[in-house]
Amino acid sequence: QVQLVESGGGSVQAGGSLRLSCEASGSISRINAMGWYRQAPGKQRELVAGVSSGGRTNYADSVKGRFTISRDNAKNMVYLQMNSLKPEDTAVYYCNAAMTYSSRSYWGQGTQVTVSS
């Protein structure tokens, strides 16, 4: 069992920045990859950025060059630095942890990001 808690969301003007944080607890030794997803109203949940246990990262094309995912395994934390925010980035952002030995993954409660023009 893994618990994920996101923080750092809020409301910003276009062009601004936010840093999201996700803290994991529970069976953290079994966590493999972690990632950030987002879901806008009326839209499908989509992968924004992911990071493997070895530090490999991948990003959605829409956020490349603007967002950076990082992971601190010692602190059981994953972060998403979001720069040059656009109104289309407005969504609820969710932290996800994928487990070893299983297809099971866990989700945080989500944190709202709102970008105004």
Side-chain angles (χ1 to χ4, degrees):
Q1 189 79 9
V2 169
Q3 296 80 45
L4 303 171
V5 179
E6 303 101 328
S7 61
S11 298
V12 297
Q13 297 278 356
S17 298
L18 286 172
R19 191 191 193 207
L20 306 183
S21 299
C22 174
E23 183 174 13
S25 61
S27 300
I28 55 177
S29 64
R30 293 187 58 211
I31 295 176
N32 189 352
M34 298 189 73
W36 288 95
Y37 292 71
R38 67 186 181 189
Q39 188 166 22
K43 305 291 185 180
Q44 195 85 293
R45 187 173 297 188
E46 64 175 348
L47 176 68
V48 177
V51 58
S52 73
S53 60
R56 292 183 179 181
T57 60
N58 63 284
Y59 298 90
D61 288 341
S62 60
V63 307
K64 285 182 179 178
R66 300 189 297 120
F67 292 10
T68 303
I69 189 170
S70 60
R71 185 174 182 175
D72 187 336
N73 290 330
K75 296 181 178 180
N76 306 312
M77 299 284 290
V78 63
Y79 308 93
L80 186 67
Q81 178 66 46
M82 304 186 295
N83 298 326
S84 302
L85 283 162
K86 304 174 181 179
E88 50 263 46
D89 295 319
T90 296
V92 177
Y93 284 71
Y94 297 91
C95 183
N96 175 267
M99 312 302 292
T100 61
Y101 312 118
S102 175
S103 61
R104 177 72 183 271
S105 64
Y106 294 88
W107 296 92
Q109 81 286 354
T111 185
Q112 176 71 47
V113 171
T114 302
V115 185
S116 60
S117 60

